[in-house]
């Protein structure tokens, strides 16, 4: 075992339940992202960086993130159609023993996919995230290509927001960060020994103003990080999803960032398609209410409340409503018309001055939200 290892886990560890849920969402989203990139007429080279890749395998032989992101591409039903696009994968792992295990997984790839696809390149590195990312940035000559960055550290060390910002300068960059938020909550602002790490993580020292305990503390730190991702990294769309365990406790957050509204919509579609995974599932909040992904019955109550409040007293085009739903709520575009506006109209919570058929909202339909609504 490496003497430098900060966590207490062995080289290869048992896969916890929440990791399976994390992987499911990673794969579901990447399948959609590869399809957007593969069909693009402009982007002929794209990259996936798994900066904290781990050993590539779990104790009972379950695949780690490197294998899963490759499967999301190469086993995709449309992969054959994307032969003009070059896909570059880079897996990085700092711990030498875990890197060794990762390297074995990478070496075995040509057995898993034979013949190996000519348009897919895989590299593995044994560096710290900061060292490797700085080196990559220093060597970029012709600008960055569209990138999906997966940042999956243990805890809060070595994930400086300034570095993330520089890696994501290119317009078509996406970021998926999975955080053990419990440890941020426990240690942020708790002493000179660690506070420089939090300053690098948040890109500000404002975390010292977090309430000292309770739910407010977690909310403060979570909201600060989300705001910083938006501001520091100039990400137009940032959403976080809490990983809820069977006791209703959130220990981890997944933050997703993009500048592309369509990609943002796809991310949420992927979230909603998730089957509830064992003891864990993802949650978001809207209009003061929890929104649970993957539950059998779609509850658009929180979305109805948010729309009624956001558009109160206005008549707007249906496109404006759909874009608001994508940009500012946990819901996606496919849940707006039939599942949300139709029942709102049936209850008299909206009307339309130009609708041809009640309950239908084709392009050009105007939607009127009254000044005040009753539930
Ligand atoms: C949560 S695990 C990664 C799990 C993996 N992404 C997966 O889903 O299968 C975090 C990994 O980051 C590695 N690590 C810790 N600090 C690092 C650093 N500064 N740079 C790169 N890797 C680091 C750890 O050794 C560990 O294997």
């Amino acid at each position: 075992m490496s003497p430098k290892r900060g966590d207490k886990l062995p080289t290869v560890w048992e896969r916890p339940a929440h990791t399976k849920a994390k992987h499911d969402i990673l794969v579901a989203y990447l399948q959609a992202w590869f399809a957007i990139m593969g069909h693009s007429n402009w982007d002929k080279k794209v990259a996936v960086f798994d900066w904290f890749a781990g050993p590539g395998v779990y104790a009972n032989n379950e695949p780690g993130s490197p294998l899963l992101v490759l499967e999301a591409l190469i086993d995709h039903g449309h992969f054959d159609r994307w032969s003009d696009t070059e896909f570059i994968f880079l897996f990085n792992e700092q711990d030498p023993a875990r890197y060794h295990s990762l390297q074995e997984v990478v070496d075995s790839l040509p057995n898993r996919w034979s013949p190996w696809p000519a348009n897919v390149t895989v590299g593995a590195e044994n560096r710290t995230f900061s060292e490797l990312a700085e080196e990559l940035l220093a060597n970029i000559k012709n600008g960055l290509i569209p990138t999906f960055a997966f940042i999956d550290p243990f805890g809060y060390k070595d994930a400086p927001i300034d570095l993330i910002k520089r890696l994501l300068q290119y317009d078509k960059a996406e970021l998926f960060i999975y955080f053990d938020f419990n440890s941020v909550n426990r240690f942020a602002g708790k002493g000179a020994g660690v506070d420089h790490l939090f300053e690098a993580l948040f890109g500000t020292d404002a975390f010292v103003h977090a309430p000292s305990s309770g739910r407010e503390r977690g909310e403060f730190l979570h909201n600060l990080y989300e705001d910083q991702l938006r501001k520091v990294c100039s990400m137009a769309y940032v959403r976080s999803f809490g990983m809820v365990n069977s006791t209703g406790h959130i220990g981890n957050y997944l933050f997703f960032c993009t500048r592309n509204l369509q990609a943002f919509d796809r991310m949420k579609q992927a979230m909603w398609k998730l089957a509830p995974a064992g003891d864990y599932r993802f949650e978001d909040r809207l209009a003061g209410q929890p929104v649970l992904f993957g539950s059998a019955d779609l509850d658009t109550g929180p979305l109805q409340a948010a729309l009624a409040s956001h558009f109160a007293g206005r008549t707007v085009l249906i496109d404006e409503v759909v874009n608001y739903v994508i940009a500012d709520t946990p819901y996606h575009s496919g849940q707006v018309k039939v599942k949300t506006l139709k029942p709102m109209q049936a209850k008299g919570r909206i009307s339309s001055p130009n609708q041809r058929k009640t309950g239908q909202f084709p392009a050009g339909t105007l939607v009127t939200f009254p000044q005040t609504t009753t539930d």
Side-chain angles (χ1 to χ4, degrees):
M1 189 184 292
S2 161
K4 282 195 188 152
R5 194 175 285 159
D7 57 85
K8 305 273 188 300
L9 293 169
T11 300
V12 169
W13 62 94
E14 296 265 336
R15 186 183 69 178
H18 65 90
T19 296
K20 165 82 170 82
K22 168 183 77 178
H23 285 161
D24 286 348
I25 187 62
L26 177 70
V27 167
Y29 177 66
L30 270 179
Q31 286 169 339
W33 189 74
F34 286 134
I36 297 173
M37 290 298 147
H39 288 300
S40 162
N41 291 324
W42 295 277
D43 302 305
K44 291 293 151 211
K45 211 180 218 190
V46 300
V48 172
F49 290 111
D50 186 351
W51 290 106
F52 296 77
V57 66
Y58 287 85
N60 293 312
N61 227 18
E62 301 94 339
S65 55
L67 205 48
L68 291 168
V69 298
L70 282 167
E71 275 175 8
L73 176 69
I74 305 174
D75 292 348
H76 194 292
H78 293 175
F79 178 59
D80 289 351
R81 301 181 194 175
W82 308 330
S83 52
D84 286 350
T85 306
E86 196 183 333
F87 295 92
I88 300 163
F89 290 81
L90 183 65
F91 305 125
N92 179 53
E93 167 56 46
Q94 175 232 336
D95 181 80
R98 288 181 185 152
Y99 169 73
H100 183 73
S101 165
L102 171 65
Q103 190 64 63
E104 282 180 356
V105 171
V106 169
D107 289 346
S108 72
L109 292 175
N111 304 329
R112 168 78 172 76
W113 288 282
S114 177
W116 181 257
N119 59 331
V120 180
T121 314
V122 174
E125 293 282 343
N126 179 208
R127 312 281 292 279
T128 67
F129 165 53
S130 321
E131 276 169 15
L132 184 61
E134 291 290 3
E135 188 180 293
L136 187 123
L137 284 167
N139 289 323
I140 285 171
K141 294 193 179 66
N142 302 320
L144 291 164
I145 56 175
T147 302
F148 178 88
F150 179 36
I151 296 194
D152 186 21
F154 282 134
Y156 47 84
K157 290 179 191 145
D158 196 26
I161 201 165
D162 173 66
L163 181 56
I164 294 174
K165 163 200 164 166
R166 286 182 287 127
L167 279 173
L168 302 176
Q169 291 164 60
Y170 184 70
D171 193 36
K172 289 180 182 164
E174 315 236 327
L175 173 65
F176 192 96
I177 308 187
Y178 189 73
F179 258 129
D180 165 13
F181 220 75
N182 261 337
S183 62
V184 177
N185 202 9
R186 269 178 73 195
F187 297 113
K190 293 291 166 75
V194 286
D195 277 0
H196 65 287
L197 297 171
F198 288 105
E199 236 176 284
L201 178 80
F202 284 102
T204 168
D205 61 5
F207 60 87
V208 298
H209 303 303
S212 58
S213 61
R215 222 188 59 182
E216 295 76 18
R217 175 175 169 78
E219 268 176 27
F220 181 101
L221 292 168
H222 164 273
N223 294 346
L224 177 65
Y225 191 62
E226 196 171 279
D227 283 353
Q228 288 295 98
L229 285 172
R230 227 172 250 126
K231 279 193 239 152
V232 177
C233 302
S234 318
M235 281 292 178
Y237 307 112
V238 178
R239 192 116 218 131
S240 75
F241 307 94
M243 176 77 84
V244 188
N245 66 17
S246 53
T247 64
H249 177 77
I250 295 183
N252 301 72
Y253 275 102
L254 187 161
F255 290 88
F256 176 69
C257 313
T258 180
R259 301 186 181 98
N260 178 327
L261 196 64
Q262 186 198 9
F264 206 46
D265 200 26
R266 294 286 179 89
M267 174 65 194
K268 288 186 282 170
Q269 285 170 9
M271 264 299 174
W272 281 99
K273 268 194 227 145
L274 274 188
D279 284 345
Y280 284 84
R281 58 183 179 179
F282 285 105
E283 180 192 284
D284 198 345
R285 292 190 78 76
L286 183 67
Q289 301 171 54
V291 176
L292 296 175
F293 298 97
S295 47
D297 300 316
L298 172 63
D299 174 14
T300 62
L303 182 56
Q304 296 185 30
L307 293 178
S309 149
H310 181 79
F311 291 109
R314 294 179 57 201
T315 296
V316 291
L317 276 169
I318 182 67
D319 277 2
E320 191 179 338
V321 179
V322 174
N323 284 346
Y324 165 75
V325 171
I326 301 171
D328 289 311
T329 80
Y331 294 85
H332 65 76
S333 56
Q335 296 168 325
V336 182
K337 296 179 181 176
V338 175
K339 300 287 183 188
T340 306
L341 294 179
K342 192 175 173 188
M344 284 181 86
Q345 185 165 32
K347 284 185 266 172
R349 296 181 78 185
I350 56 166
S351 56
S352 171
N354 69 345
Q355 193 178 34
R356 293 238 174 108
K357 202 161 174 211
T358 305
Q360 294 189 359
F361 302 86
T365 307
L366 289 161
V367 185
T368 301
F369 293 82
Q371 190 65 51
T372 51
T373 56
T374 48
D375 282 311

